[in-house]
Every structure is written in structure tokens, then in C-alpha cells.
Amino acid sequence: MNVVVCVKQIPDPAAPGALDPETKTLVRQGKLILDDSDAYGVEMGLQLAEQAGGGEVTLVSMAPNNETSGLRTALAMGAAKAILVSDDALRGSDALATAKVLAKAIERAAPDLVIAATESTDGYTGTTPVQVAELLGMPSVTFAKKVSLSDGTVHVERQTEAGYDEVVCPLPAVVTVTAGVVEPRYPSFKGIMAAKSKPVDQLTVSDLGIDAALVGQAGARQEVTEVADAEARSAGEVVVDEGDAHQNIIRFLEQLKLI
Amino acid sequence: MSIDKVWVLAEISGGNPVSTSLELLTKAREMGSVVEAVSWGPDVAKTVGQLGNFGVTTVYDIGDTGDALPGAPVAAAIAGLVKSGNRPDVMLIPTTYDGRDVAGRLSAMLDLPVITNVVGLEVEGDEVRSEHGLFGGAKVARARLSGERPWIFVVRAKSFAAEPSPGAAPQVTSVEVPDIGARNTAKVLARHVEEQSGPKLDEADVVVSGGRGLGGAEHYAMIEELAKLLKGAAGASRAIVDAGWVPYSHQVGQTGKTVKPTLYIACGISGATQHLVGMKGSKNIVAINKDKDAPIFSVADLGVVGDVNKVVPKLIEALKARG
Ligand SMILES: Cc1cc2nc3c(=O)[nH]c(=O)nc-3n(C[C@H](O)[C@H](O)[C@H](O)COP(=O)(O)OP(=O)(O)OC[C@H]3O[C@@H](n4cnc5c(N)ncnc54)[C@H](O)[C@@H]3O)c2cc1C
Ligand SMILES: Nc1ncnc2c1ncn2[C@@H]1O[C@H](COP(=O)(O)O)[C@@H](O)[C@H]1O
């Protein structure tokens, strides 16, 4: 059972706002961390490989500057190895170009199952994993809140507007998981030590046989012309409850003629 | 080259087009001169009249995809149409579970980019400018697509108002799903609908939501009670959905529902950007949080710094006393 988990390494969301004023793309320089959204996928992959009684989890990531700090976190959780694609030519890649790179890298691991998050924390296009599935010629099941495997089939409880659907799909397949699918483990000290010597295969665009003109800024067919703060609402009245603040709410409801 | 033909993915739920599709049809009429809809499922014939009422002149009917998960077969049918030479300038897709699947597949099949989380669209000359959220909605980016069409946009709910525009009955053209092999092997075995009483979350005039500050799943009952007293719907932050306190269908925010009620009451919710993006379009916002620095207060018209487990029960009592 070979599981690939796609993990995005992102700037710490606690320190956001990193947009290149020139290119208007997200700047991903400096130390990156494992996207919290992907910690769920790593845990799910580890559990499924364990349950299958063998096999391993390979991480696949595309990131600038051979960044590995986020990968080390996922390796410390228990993933066996990683494939990292890093290349200056990839700067400014849109979701489809990212998917092309990830698909080529994933092929190298010949997985039975590919796991990604439903959406990343910074870009949150939510389309990359489905694009990857199409490029790999695989079926995909998105928005999984529960995943299990039996006889070469993946069973998924998939969120819907009104509840959830039970979906089955033969392997190999791409599954995207939501937060809450499993509780990610914290890396142990032993895990953190072991992660330091786990293999990270570092590849460039040409290693993957991809034409550099089709990815990154060169291949992007969308241009971000402006980035601004979202329209702000202004704060109104604030009262500190001293036992009767509910009366303020009642008066507000009356003003709105809701009661 | 101006914008002539705009296609809208008309997703059907419960025998009717979903509201975001109707919003997109309204916007499409403003963007282009010809508005056409692409739809699938057993109920397309029933919705043709409604689609005509929103200005659609042709409905492409992909037919019943049976128990297949729709993303791949629906995208393949649309890609087939486009490759046969029927090429719209713009394709608008609602931000729904299936809509996002269709968009991702279609983009890869046509080798064309897609812009997601769109909240604004404007035609400028022969270009389209879009607005989409970044960093959980904290920032808004304006973008333009260039090159080969269709330009594909996945648009968030309630970005535009839905207005009918009665016209002649649309022509219906059936479209085949080509054989796409393994891609089309995800099957839906069963559907589970989580019962919700009262008005629907995304249509209710009042929404009362609870977050982790409630302190425990058992306290969510007072959120439901308050919602009921105000004839509203009960919502939730993702934290308590992930914790299993309430079903996912209650979630408000980036990955949940977008709500724009007359009044939104946030109880024990911190106000992370991913939550705000789903509710800050509400006309009025009341927040109850014990932390005076909680970000939710920056969007609240009335903020109460206090313990939800004290303020809400008193509020409920006072409302009941009024009868
Ligand atoms: C990719 C991605 C997508 C996401 N999508 C969504 C989404 O769709 N919807 C969503 O909601 N979140 C979403 N999130 C999660 C979001 O970032 C927050 O983690 C989440 O909204 C926090 O929920 P909360 O406010 O209930 O919990 P917390 O952030 O833990 O806040 C609890 C609040 O309760 C207050 N409190 C505690 N005790 C009391 C008390 N007794 N009385 C009053 N107040 C009290 C605290 O002061 C605190 O402000 C997403 C995150 C990511 C990364
Ligand atoms: N650069 C990347 N490297 C590895 N995985 C990625 C990358 N970009 C996206 N993904 C995967 O696709 C998911 C959805 O990303 P997005 O399309 O940005 O919302 C992420 O959570 C990852 O699992």
C-alpha cells in the first residue's frame, strides 16, 4: 500500500500579508511551515498504510528554495520519505501549473492512493487535487470526512450541502480530506530525530521533463492586477456584561423590528 | 473580441436550480449577449422553464449521470462540447461541492486556468476582471485572464443578486458523456440528509451561531433554542463541527455556508478570517465573547464582552417572558 500525501509548505499564517508588490503573487520566502490543512492528510495516510499492514507514506511537495522545514514536520509524524520539487521557474505558478508539477512527481512514487487537503490555508483554490487526478487519469473523491480501505477500494464519507454521501471508488485514486477526518498526532522526540535522516528527493522542472515555459510566471495565463484589504466593516457599540447585557441585545432586536 | 457567449453551470438540487446558479445567470446576462446553461441529472426537463425565466436561451442537458460522482463525467461532457467547436467566452461555476469538482476537471481537460473564490466580475472592453479572496478572505485580489477562452470562474454564493428576466422557452440540446475510463469510477452508494428543522441556514433572516467558547457540545442546545425563538437558523464555527458537536451542514465560513441574514449572532466565536468570510455580509452583527480583543468585535454592530453561558440563557428567558 503506497500512499502519496501532497503537502504544501506555506508561510506561517500567523504572519500573513506576504504579497510581492511587483508580481502581486504570494511570496513564499523564508522559513515555511507545514500547512495545517495537510497535517490531516499526513495522519490519514499513516493510519491507512498501517491498517493495510505494510506500505509507506511518501510526501510530495512543490516549494521554492528547496524548503524542507514543513516536510520535516510531516516526516517526523512518520512519513517514510519525500519528493520535493523546487525551481526558480516555478515562481508564480497557478493551480493548474502546480497540478502538472505535482502529477509528474506523484507518478514517480507509483501510489495506490493519493491524499491532499480539500483546500490550502493561503491560496485555497481547492482545485489543485482534482486537476492532479485528471492529469493522472485517476478518479477523485473530494471533501472526505471519513476514509477507509478494503479490497482495492476506498470508501469515503463525502460532505454535501445537506449531510454526507457514501462514495466508493477503485484504487488508484485521489482523495481530498477535510479537517476533522482524523486527529493529527504530534511528532515524538524520536520521530523528530529520525526525520533528520529520512530521504528527501530534490527535483527540478527539467528532472520531471516539464517545459519551463508552461509553468511559473511564464506559463501563467492569469494576471493579478491589484491586491487590497477586503472591505472592512466598522466596529459598533461594545458593552461589558455586568449581568444585564442581554437587555442591550433585546433593544437591538427591537430596533431591527425582529421582535 | 468582445464577450458574447456565457455559460453557467446550472446545478440542480431538489428539482430546482441551486440559488448560486440563478445568481450567476443574472450576472451572465450583464456580461454577455447570449446566456446558456449546462445542467445534468434526472430533473433537467423540470427546470428548463425556470432557466428560461432567467434569460437562458439554450440548455445543454448532460442527462442523468446515475450513481456516478458528477465532477468527472459532467466536466468531460462540457469539454467535449468545447472541443467540438462550441466555445463560450466565459464559463461561470457555482462554489458548491460538485461545482468545484467540475471546475478542476474541466480546467485540466481543456488545459485552461480557473479562478476560484470569485466574489466580483466586471467586463472591461473585451476583458473580464474578477475579484477573489486570499488569506481566508482577509485580502481581495483583482485578476484578469488572457489568452484562450473560455475563461473559467468559480464564484462564491451570494456574490450577486438573482433577478429573473422572462424570455422564450429555451431550446434543449442533449450532450453525451464521453468514455473517460477510470476517471469516472467514483460511485455514490447512499446519500444521508442531516435533518434540520426551521428555515435553511443560507436563507434564514436570523442566524445564531455557536463556537468553541460554548465550552461543550451540550451547550449548543441553547443556540438552537435562541435561533428558534427568533425564527432563525442555527449555525456553527468549523472548530465545533470538527470537534463533532454539530453536523457539518451547520458550518458557516470559507468551507461552509455563506450567509447574509438581517441579523447574525455569534456566540463564543473568535472571528477567524475563514469564519468572517462566510458571515460579514450580514446586515447586522451581534457578538458575544468573553475576550474583549476577539477579532469578531471588529465586525460587530453590537458587541457584548461576557460569558455566553450567562448572557444567552438570560436572553432566552427575556424573549420567552415577552411571549
Ligand atoms: C483552510 C481553512 C478553512 C477554514 N474554514 C472555516 C470555515 O468555513 N468556518 C469556520 O468557522 N472556520 C474555518 N476555519 C477555521 C478558523 O481558522 C478557526 O479555527 C475557527 O473559525 C475557530 O472557531 P471558534 O471561533 O469556534 O474557536 P476559537 O478560535 O477557539 O474561539 C473560541 C472563542 O470563544 C471565546 N470564549 C471562550 N469561552 C467563552 C465563554 N465562556 N463565553 C464567551 N466567549 C468565550 C474565546 O475568547 C474565543 O474567542 C478554516 C481554517 C482553514 C485553515
Ligand atoms: N505546492 C504544493 N505542494 C504540495 N501540495 C500542494 C501544493 N499546492 C497544493 N497542494 C495540495 O492541494 C491541496 C489544495 O490546495 P489549493 O488548491 O491551493 O487549495 C493542498 O492542501 C495540498 O494538499
Side-chain angles (χ1 to χ4, degrees):
Chain A
M1 182 72 202
N2 285 323
V3 182
V4 160
V5 181
C6 295
V7 298
K8 197 168 177 184
Q9 304 179 83
I10 62 167
D12 190 340
L19 277 160
D20 186 322
E22 283 289 301
T23 62
K24 310 284 189 333
T25 53
L26 300 181
V27 184
R28 296 185 173 128
Q29 271 164 356
K31 194 167 164 353
L32 302 179
I33 61 167
L34 172 66
D35 186 342
D36 194 41
S37 301
D38 284 322
Y40 302 92
V42 174
E43 180 65 39
M44 193 73 248
L46 291 169
Q47 289 189 16
L48 291 172
E50 277 158 29
Q51 282 158 23
E56 54 185 21
V57 171
T58 304
L59 309 169
V60 170
S61 189
M62 171 180 132
N65 308 327
N66 294 301
E67 182 69 58
T68 57
S69 41
L71 283 176
R72 293 288 168 204
T73 306
L75 290 169
M77 288 171 72
K81 55 188 197 303
I83 301 174
L84 171 64
V85 189
S86 205
D87 200 313
D88 279 343
L90 292 171
R91 206 171 291 281
S93 290
D94 60 16
L96 183 55
T98 304
K100 288 178 183 172
V101 171
L102 294 177
K104 283 281 182 211
I106 291 166
E107 264 171 4
R108 300 197 155 209
D112 301 298
L113 177 65
V114 179
I115 298 178
T118 291
E119 56 193 14
S120 63
T121 300
D122 57 346
Y124 71 105
T125 80
T127 49
T128 313
V130 179
Q131 290 166 325
V132 165
E134 177 61 27
L135 295 167
L136 292 173
M138 290 184 191
S140 52
V141 186
T142 49
F143 289 97
K145 60 177 201 130
K146 209 165 181 182
V147 185
S148 61
L149 291 171
S150 65
D151 310 325
T153 304
V154 59
H155 299 248
V156 172
E157 286 185 7
R158 177 182 189 255
Q159 286 175 352
T160 60
E161 302 286 341
Y164 66 94
D165 285 351
E166 277 173 57
V167 181
V168 291
C169 175
L171 299 177
V174 175
V175 172
T176 75
V177 298
T178 59
V181 70
V182 277
E183 193 54 48
R185 70 192 71 182
Y186 285 104
S188 64
F189 179 70
K190 223 177 104 195
I192 294 168
M193 295 314 287
K196 294 192 168 143
S197 55
K198 286 183 175 171
V200 176
D201 193 4
Q202 304 201 351
L203 304 173
T204 63
V205 164
S206 66
D207 290 337
L208 291 173
I210 293 175
D211 180 354
L214 299 178
V215 293
Q217 206 82 61
R221 288 161 290 182
Q222 65 188 54
E223 184 200 342
V224 174
T225 53
E226 188 188 332
V227 175
D229 287 331
E231 200 180 308
R233 271 183 87 107
S234 45
E237 185 196 359
V238 177
V239 296
V240 177
D241 181 37
E242 272 155 10
D244 56 3
H246 60 284
Q247 296 296 357
N248 296 66
I249 302 178
I250 294 279
R251 279 195 293 278
F252 194 72
L253 292 170
E254 283 169 349
Q255 274 171 30
L256 297 179
K257 299 193 168 42
L258 287 167
I259 53 174
Chain B
M1 208 167 90
S2 62
I3 311 296
D4 291 324
K5 190 155 61 174
V6 182
W7 282 2
V8 173
L9 187 72
E11 185 173 336
I12 298 170
S13 169
N16 294 301
V18 300
S19 46
T20 314
S21 289
L22 300 179
E23 292 156 20
L24 295 185
L25 286 171
T26 308
K27 188 69 192 180
R29 294 200 307 263
E30 183 195 309
M31 294 177 75
S33 45
V34 179
V35 176
E36 300 180 334
V38 185
S39 198
W40 78 93
D43 294 330
V44 176
K46 276 191 233 164
T47 63
V48 168
Q50 286 187 71
L51 295 173
N53 211 17
F54 274 80
V56 171
T57 50
T58 297
V59 176
Y60 296 100
D61 180 2
I62 293 170
D64 191 352
T65 48
D67 61 358
L69 201 59
V74 169
I78 299 172
L81 268 179
V82 172
K83 285 178 181 164
S84 75
N86 191 345
R87 199 175 269 273
D89 297 298
V90 172
M91 169 100 214
L92 303 180
I93 296 176
T95 302
T96 56
Y97 300 91
D98 292 337
R100 263 172 43 164
D101 282 2
V102 170
R105 288 274 169 189
L106 186 62
S107 149
M109 285 170 181
L110 296 176
D111 193 24
L112 291 175
V114 49
I115 298 188
T116 45
N117 292 305
V118 171
V119 292
L121 286 167
E122 245 18 275
V123 175
E124 278 179 21
D126 50 12
E127 285 182 348
V128 175
R129 305 290 171 125
S130 69
E131 282 185 3
H132 63 273
L134 288 176
F135 296 116
K139 297 211 178 264
V140 174
R142 294 194 96 202
R144 60 185 192 123
L145 289 176
S146 51
E148 206 182 318
R149 304 177 185 191
W151 297 326
I152 309 169
F153 299 97
V154 184
V155 186
R156 292 190 64 93
K158 301 193 171 70
S159 297
F160 310 111
E163 310 272 355
S165 164
Q171 185 188 329
V172 179
T173 305
S174 44
V175 184
E176 295 277 309
V177 175
D179 182 6
I180 48 167
R183 290 169 171 84
N184 191 10
T185 49
K187 302 279 173 230
V188 179
L189 288 187
R191 296 184 192 281
H192 298 264
V193 175
E194 284 153 354
E195 287 303 326
Q196 210 169 334
S197 57
K200 281 173 70 183
L201 185 55
D202 47 1
E203 289 166 7
D205 202 32
V206 176
V207 173
V208 184
S209 286
R212 191 143 47 194
L214 292 174
E218 65 282 8
H219 295 155
Y220 191 76
M222 71 183 181
I223 299 298
E224 286 174 315
E225 188 176 6
L226 180 56
K228 202 167 165 202
L229 283 167
L230 297 171
K231 300 186 189 61
S237 71
R238 193 177 85 176
I240 72 167
V241 171
D242 289 349
W245 298 2
V246 290
Y248 173 77
S249 51
H250 288 61
Q251 184 172 318
V252 172
Q254 178 184 313
T255 30
K257 300 218 160 68
T258 303
V259 301
K260 289 193 174 175
T262 302
L263 176 65
Y264 188 88
I265 308 183
C267 306
I269 292 177
S270 60
T273 54
Q274 295 94 354
H275 187 80
L276 298 184
V277 74
M279 48 63 76
K280 68 182 174 189
S282 305
K283 285 194 199 72
N284 298 280
I285 298 173
V286 171
I288 308 167
N289 194 302
K290 71 172 183 192
D291 173 9
K292 69 169 179 32
D293 297 321
I296 191 78
F297 288 132
S298 68
V299 300
D301 301 288
L302 173 61
V304 173
V305 181
D307 184 342
V308 283
N309 289 308
K310 292 195 178 128
V311 178
V312 174
K314 281 191 193 157
L315 181 58
I316 289 173
E317 240 173 76
L319 287 170
K320 280 185 175 161
R322 298 169 64 103

